[in-house]
Amino acid sequence: MGRGVDGPRALAEDRAVIPHERHSLILRQIELHGMVITAEFAHRHGVSGMTVRRDLVALEEKGLLERVHGGAVAPAPHHPTARRRGPLATIGMVVPSADYYYPAVIRGARAAAGQLGIRLVLGVSGYSVDLETEQVGRLVAGGVDGLLVTPSRTFADDGATYRLLAGAGVPAVVVERSLEGVDPGTAIGSVRSDHGHGAELAVRHLVERGHTRIAVAWRAGPTAAPVLAGVRRAMGALCPGGETLSFPLLGAAAPPADQRRQLEELLDQVRAADVRAVVVLPDQVAMALVDVATGRGWRVPDDLALVGYDDEFAALSPVPLTAVAPPKFDVGHTALRSCVDRLRTGRGPAALTRVDLLPTLAVRESS
């Protein structure tokens, strides 16, 4: 006579998952969701209910859970045999750089991971889409439970990484990038700085100091478009009759002599247009512009007011720079927590969050 769900067929299926693997799966289920239901776990993993109940007894004897009717929950903190185990989950993080802007984002993610008992694994892409997608693929193949990724490009410029994240099979959060253009149904979360708002803060600060003609000098990159849009939006709202001079800059890889020559050209254009205030992305270039301007005998801020963007090194300039400070630490911290929240509540669209955090303005001597 057969034994139903706990019969020979089910017992044969039990051999497909060895005991320590089942124990790990049970404990992770409890960590992420607060409880495990015996019948659901047995059905999901193709094992018998009798086997799961035996596993729960063994884990309770070790102080790793407490059995309840129909399943088990996490042990109470005061449980006499409760013991500390390994990390709740592993989150993979891929950023374009580890030496500018992103160290603070990484620190934020690490802080949140430490608070939540998460293991964080880091990869650096060097702004290479190929390396970026390779790293994401390797992390997924290695069994990470979630992903935090800053794509090197916007979706409009290259959507490969975004598409990879959408099909990764684990919760994914895009960090410091817009999801504009991505299909609205794509199950990717995002946490980023509102760089348009940061640019508006810079313009408001300069307009309040009497500047009605403002230049914006910028290096190409994912941050440039929202900064430019923010400058123009703020000028239109605060200074409708004012003027905005837009000046694209060479990339960081250009020869230093060419970069300095371009800054000389920028000052020539600024003087010709009677512009006495410049917003500069990033603040490294703003520091170099201080050097070129003072070399001409210009006084900062009397002859030229400057606001940098990123606030990485702005305070170290010979004339300390007023700078827009994106909330980098908070971006990393919020992104990690958002990813873990998706692990805990499931991966459906209802669990998605897309968060914009507002930069602040650090006012110093340059403006």
Side-chain angles (χ1 to χ4, degrees), residues 26 29-37 68-74:
I26 289 169
Q29 172 79 10
I30 290 174
E31 289 277 14
L32 292 176
H33 302 287
M35 68 180 302
V36 63
I37 297 174
V68 296
H69 180 69
V73 297

Side-chain angles (χ1 to χ4, degrees), residues 106-158:
I106 296 167
R107 286 197 299 273
R110 287 182 62 186
Q115 293 164 0
L116 297 172
I118 300 295
R119 181 182 178 224
L120 187 67
V121 180
L122 180 67
V124 181
S125 69
Y127 288 94
S128 164
V129 175
D130 290 340
L131 181 55
E132 183 175 280
T133 54
E134 178 183 325
Q135 289 174 333
V136 170
R138 190 182 303 124
L139 287 167
V140 172
V144 297
D145 301 288
L147 290 163
L148 310 180
V149 180
T150 302
S152 300
R153 311 279 180 82
T154 64
F155 179 78
D157 289 337
D158 192 322

Side-chain angles (χ1 to χ4, degrees), residues 83-109:
R83 63 182 67 179
R84 185 175 180 85
R85 298 188 295 105
L88 162 62
T90 298
I91 303 296
M93 184 176 194
V94 180
V95 295
S97 170
D99 57 11
Y100 183 85
Y101 194 98
Y102 290 98
V105 178
I106 296 167
R107 286 197 299 273

Side-chain angles (χ1 to χ4, degrees), residues 170-212:
V170 297
V173 178
V174 170
V175 181
E176 283 293 33
R177 295 291 182 261
S178 168
L179 292 181
E180 184 177 358
V182 176
D183 188 303
T186 301
I188 302 175
S190 73
V191 178
R192 61 173 184 149
S193 302
D194 186 341
H195 294 299
H197 176 82
E200 291 181 61
L201 290 178
V203 171
R204 179 179 293 276
H205 174 74
L206 292 170
V207 169
E208 288 174 349
R209 278 149 184 77
H211 297 283
T212 58

Side-chain angles (χ1 to χ4, degrees), residues 15-340:
R15 301 190 184 98
V17 182
I18 59 179
H20 80 268
E21 291 178 343
R22 289 197 309 273
H23 291 183
S24 294
L25 290 169
I26 289 169
L27 293 172
R28 176 165 292 183
Q29 172 79 10
I30 290 174
E31 289 277 14
L32 292 176
H33 302 287
M35 68 180 302
V36 63
I37 297 174
T38 300
E40 289 183 359
F41 185 90
H43 177 74
R44 184 181 306 114
H45 296 286
V47 297
S48 68
M50 179 185 295
T51 295
V52 177
R53 287 189 287 274
R54 285 200 303 263
D55 290 337
L56 297 182
V57 170
L59 291 170
E60 184 178 47
E61 289 174 352
K62 296 178 180 179
L64 299 177
L65 54 77
E66 292 183 17
R67 286 184 297 153
V68 296
H69 180 69
V73 297
H78 59 272
H79 193 288
T81 58
R83 63 182 67 179
R84 185 175 180 85
R85 298 188 295 105
L88 162 62
T90 298
I91 303 296
M93 184 176 194
V94 180
V95 295
S97 170
D99 57 11
Y100 183 85
Y101 194 98
Y102 290 98
V105 178
I106 296 167
R107 286 197 299 273
R110 287 182 62 186
Q115 293 164 0
L116 297 172
I118 300 295
R119 181 182 178 224
L120 187 67
V121 180
L122 180 67
V124 181
S125 69
Y127 288 94
S128 164
V129 175
D130 290 340
L131 181 55
E132 183 175 280
T133 54
E134 178 183 325
Q135 289 174 333
V136 170
R138 190 182 303 124
L139 287 167
V140 172
V144 297
D145 301 288
L147 290 163
L148 310 180
V149 180
T150 302
S152 300
R153 311 279 180 82
T154 64
F155 179 78
D157 289 337
D158 192 322
T161 301
Y162 301 84
R163 288 188 287 270
L164 180 60
L165 294 176
V170 297
V173 178
V174 170
V175 181
E176 283 293 33
R177 295 291 182 261
S178 168
L179 292 181
E180 184 177 358
V182 176
D183 188 303
T186 301
I188 302 175
S190 73
V191 178
R192 61 173 184 149
S193 302
D194 186 341
H195 294 299
H197 176 82
E200 291 181 61
L201 290 178
V203 171
R204 179 179 293 276
H205 174 74
L206 292 170
V207 169
E208 288 174 349
R209 278 149 184 77
H211 297 283
T212 58
R213 295 177 176 174
I214 296 174
V216 54
W218 49 275
R219 277 183 178 163
T223 304
V227 167
L228 287 168
V231 168
R232 290 167 179 150
R233 185 165 57 245
M235 285 295 288
L238 301 173
C239 195
E243 296 181 8
T244 303
L245 173 66
S246 179
F247 192 93
L249 297 164
L250 294 171
D258 291 347
Q259 294 187 47
R260 186 174 183 88
R261 186 162 43 249
Q262 188 182 49
L263 295 181
E264 296 280 6
E265 293 171 1
L266 170 58
L267 291 183
D268 290 339
Q269 291 193 28
V270 163
R271 178 55 58 87
D274 194 25
V275 170
R276 297 183 180 274
V278 187
V279 178
V280 187
L281 169 70
D283 60 9
Q284 289 171 305
V285 179
M287 292 173 66
L289 191 58
V290 169
D291 183 57
V292 174
T294 55
R296 289 189 173 194
W298 294 17
R299 297 167 300 165
V300 176
D302 296 336
D303 299 317
L304 184 68
L306 294 174
V307 177
Y309 202 100
D310 284 348
D311 201 26
E312 283 289 302
F313 309 114
L316 303 177
S317 175
V319 178
L321 287 165
T322 294
V324 176
K328 291 165 277 194
F329 181 94
D330 294 307
V331 165
H333 197 278
T334 304
L336 190 289
R337 295 188 70 91
S338 176
C339 191
V340 173

